[in-house]
Amino acid sequence: MDEQRQAAVPGAIAAVLGWPVAHSLSPKLHGFWLREQNLDGSYLGLPVAPDAFEAGVRGLVATGFRGVNVTVPHKLAALQIADAVDAAAQAIGAVNTLVFGDDGRILGRNTDAYGFLNNLTDAGVDVAAGPAMIIGAGGAARAAVHALLSAGCPRLYLTNRTPEKAVGLREGMADDRIHVLPFNTLNSLPDDIVLLGNTTSLGMAGKGTLDVTLTGLPSDAWVHDIVYVPLETPLLRAARRLGLRTVDGLGMLLHQAVPAFEAFFGRQVTVSDALRNHVLGRE
Ligand code: NAP
């Protein structure tokens, strides 16, 4: 990290833009770091309708905001408004962080892959140790696949309810380590995987449950779910009951915020148990 990014900006303001945004945990977690770092800055949650996104972002640039995180449904619009994008955003095809330069230029970044990978490595997963399997082919899956391939995953099985989307993801990433498997592979998983990751919205409170047979997994395999409401999804509960190691999705959210905080507020921060407890309301 260079000296310039380390320099905290007094009174810096950043925000998360979503529609809706009230459910977002980002103000809570950035607020924790602002207090921890004793910084005179603010982080807001701003509801911005899709048709107001561009005008809204340009207004925030003009007002002196340092940048914004964007959540559903703005990740593609954020890619389009950026003057330049980082390599992860380019590969994933979506932007979750816009950093505003002093000259008004907008840099688009994607920190979801960073968050996905750091959540796993924090838990002790060695993603280069063997094949992984990712379920899903949406935006989160693209971040997960990019993260795993960048970190040396030797073989990546990919499956999705709509197979064309998995094939499209493989073609977009142009990496022959990706192998698309039919969705009914979930009843008979490959027996060589070190990591099974759910990136679909199944398992989230109010959505359906992911139907997967875990019994064929190696006993030392990891099972990960990026859904974090509830924290222990039915998939993770089933894995835990089989004695498999599990990683929940909250850590991805916490870790993806680290580079954004550093870009907005100029201080290096870490994901701690205290942060996790704060976000979970367990203080
Ligand atoms: P998305 O682009 O809309 O993709 C949704 C994925 O879920 C697709 O693969 C879709 O399959 C699959 N899916 C949805 N309903 C299904 C069903 N009934 N049966 C089978 N598959 C189904 O969404 P996303 O942005 O990737 O987000 C996915 C989930 O990840 C969300 O729950 C989101 O909250 C979570 N997420 C968590 C984090 C974190 O920090 N932990 C970060 C990003 C996202 P089809 O292609 O067949 O429709």
Side-chain angles (χ1 to χ4, degrees):
M1 177 147 318
D2 61 39
E3 289 299 316
Q4 205 176 358
R5 282 181 63 207
Q6 283 287 13
V9 181
I13 309 179
V16 55
L17 310 187
W19 186 255
V21 81
H23 66 284
S24 174
L25 292 172
S26 293
K28 201 166 184 183
L29 70 97
H30 283 272
F32 175 91
W33 282 325
L34 285 168
R35 282 189 298 280
E36 182 189 68
Q37 298 287 323
N38 205 18
L39 282 178
D40 167 29
S42 312
Y43 187 99
L44 313 173
L46 298 178
V48 176
D51 61 1
F53 181 75
E54 177 164 4
V57 169
R58 303 238 178 258
L60 296 177
V61 172
T63 323
F65 275 58
R66 303 298 300 172
V68 292
N69 290 118
V70 303
T71 184
V72 178
H74 299 313
K75 288 186 178 182
L76 286 180
L79 179 71
Q80 285 154 5
I81 204 175
D83 296 307
V85 296
D86 70 5
Q90 186 87 52
I92 295 163
V95 156
N96 73 339
T97 305
L98 294 170
V99 182
F100 307 154
D102 292 334
D103 57 0
R105 278 174 62 82
I106 300 175
L107 171 65
R109 298 178 59 177
N110 190 307
T111 65
D112 281 336
Y114 173 96
F116 180 86
L117 185 65
N118 280 271
N119 184 33
L120 291 175
T121 51
D122 228 25
V125 183
D126 177 4
V127 301
M133 180 160 179
I134 290 296
I135 309 165
R142 298 181 67 82
V145 168
H146 176 69
L148 291 170
L149 295 177
S150 305
C153 172
R155 172 182 283 252
L156 200 155
Y157 302 113
L158 184 65
T159 192
N160 191 51
R161 173 181 64 176
T162 309
E164 297 78 17
K165 281 175 68 178
V167 170
L169 195 162
R170 182 188 61 197
E171 286 170 359
M173 296 269 171
D175 192 309
D176 59 14
R177 285 175 291 172
I178 304 175
H179 301 263
V180 174
L181 299 178
F183 203 53
N184 64 12
T185 305
L186 294 181
N187 301 323
S188 173
L189 295 173
D191 61 5
D192 60 346
I193 59 183
V194 301
L195 171 71
L196 175 71
N198 174 46
T199 70
T200 74
S201 42
L202 291 178
M204 186 189 276
K207 305 265 180 186
T209 303
L210 186 65
D211 196 9
V212 48
T213 305
L214 297 174
T215 43
L217 285 178
S219 59
D220 60 351
W222 291 88
V223 178
H224 172 45
D225 203 329
I226 68 161
V227 170
Y228 57 85
V229 180
L231 203 51
E232 186 176 67
T233 60
L235 174 69
L236 295 185
R237 190 180 321 122
R240 177 173 56 78
R241 286 179 175 162
L242 284 171
L244 299 166
R245 297 177 289 182
T246 61
V247 186
D248 68 49
L250 182 61
M252 175 176 173
L253 178 81
L254 304 181
H255 280 283
Q256 63 78 31
V258 168
F261 187 91
E262 291 174 7
F264 300 152
F265 299 109
R267 284 278 178 83
Q268 206 164 357
V269 286
T270 56
V271 172
S272 61
D273 287 344
L275 172 66
R276 192 176 160 90
N277 288 333
H278 174 72
V279 168
L280 289 172
R282 288 182 181 163
E283 297 141 307

